[in-house]
Amino acid sequence: MKRAIYPGSFDPVTNGHLDIIARSARLVDELIVGVLNNRAKNALFSAEDRVSMLKELTSHYPNVTIEAFDGLLVDYAKRNDAAIIVRGLRAVTDFEYELQIAQTNHEIYEQIETIFLTTRLEYAYLSSTIVKEVASYGGDISRFVPQQIIARVYAKYGIEGFGK
Ligand code: PNS
């Protein structure tokens, strides 16, 4: 049984994240999407909201579950008996950070392996930070995030009437 964790902040989930979920769910028996519940990080959405949005968007995948986690990722992986961490790699700029995390995680817990899926070219520029930046100025985020959450993102910036 291959169980993997796809961890992240997902604040908010983007089309790029959903693409990684769809592709990694095909590679493993069970995929747990771990939503980092980091109170220190100034998140736009609460962990509960991020989990519920992801649940809504992935309910059609029988082998995908969504959970919030805090603490060290490797401890969470151990608790869930998962030996694989999945991360998306967009561009060279991601590489250094991702390499550092993957090597640290492997150093702390030798059984854990990180696999990287390269993002689709169409999402190579995309990040939750970019989505927030564009939405905060009332720009169009309809190509960046799933339709179901567009209005929820704008609402965080007091912008109503989008995505309806
Ligand atoms: O979507 P993000 O913010 O790039 O995801 C970062 C994440 C959640 C993968 C990373 O911050 C993480 O694993 N945090 C939990 C604490 C931890 O285990 N850190 C890695 C060891 S340095």
Side-chain angles (χ1 to χ4, degrees):
M1 154 83 78
K2 280 202 197 73
R3 184 179 292 141
I5 294 183
Y6 176 37
S9 302
F10 306 104
D11 185 41
V13 58
T14 68
N15 290 333
H17 292 133
L18 288 175
D19 178 52
I20 298 290
I21 291 172
R23 288 160 58 201
S24 50
R26 287 199 291 268
L27 299 176
V28 297
D29 300 305
E30 276 182 28
L31 181 72
I32 302 172
V33 180
V35 176
L36 181 67
N37 182 10
N38 185 351
R39 288 166 200 90
K41 246 187 173 179
N42 221 353
L44 184 65
F45 288 95
S46 68
E48 294 73 30
D49 283 351
R50 286 178 272 145
V51 166
S52 81
M53 286 188 276
L54 274 159
K55 277 189 176 167
E56 189 182 319
L57 294 162
T58 60
S59 57
H60 52 294
Y61 298 116
N63 64 336
V64 174
T65 54
I66 316 290
E67 280 180 3
F69 80 98
D70 51 25
L72 279 182
L73 176 58
V74 288
D75 290 339
Y76 178 63
K78 269 187 214 169
R79 282 201 300 278
N80 284 281
D81 201 18
I84 304 167
I85 293 170
V86 175
R87 292 285 284 171
L89 261 190
R90 285 167 301 197
V92 171
T93 41
D94 278 344
F95 182 74
E96 211 168 320
Y97 172 66
E98 294 297 338
L99 183 71
Q100 200 177 14
I101 301 187
Q103 289 177 332
T104 305
N105 286 336
H106 194 252
E107 196 60 35
I108 304 174
Y109 179 35
E110 221 195 343
Q111 274 82 44
I112 203 83
E113 296 293 352
T114 302
I115 61 168
F116 295 103
L117 298 191
T118 53
T119 52
R120 279 182 201 286
L121 275 181
E122 64 204 274
Y123 303 134
Y125 62 91
L126 189 53
S127 70
S128 300
T129 306
I130 289 289
V131 170
K132 287 182 274 197
E133 174 80 1
V134 174
S136 71
Y137 291 107
D140 183 4
I141 58 166
S142 60
R143 290 190 311 286
F144 306 157
V145 299
Q147 183 264 327
Q148 296 94 316
I149 74 156
I150 295 173
R152 283 148 94 169
V153 177
Y154 284 124
K156 287 284 175 189
Y157 297 102
I159 301 168
E160 304 294 338
F162 276 86
K164 301 235 166 97

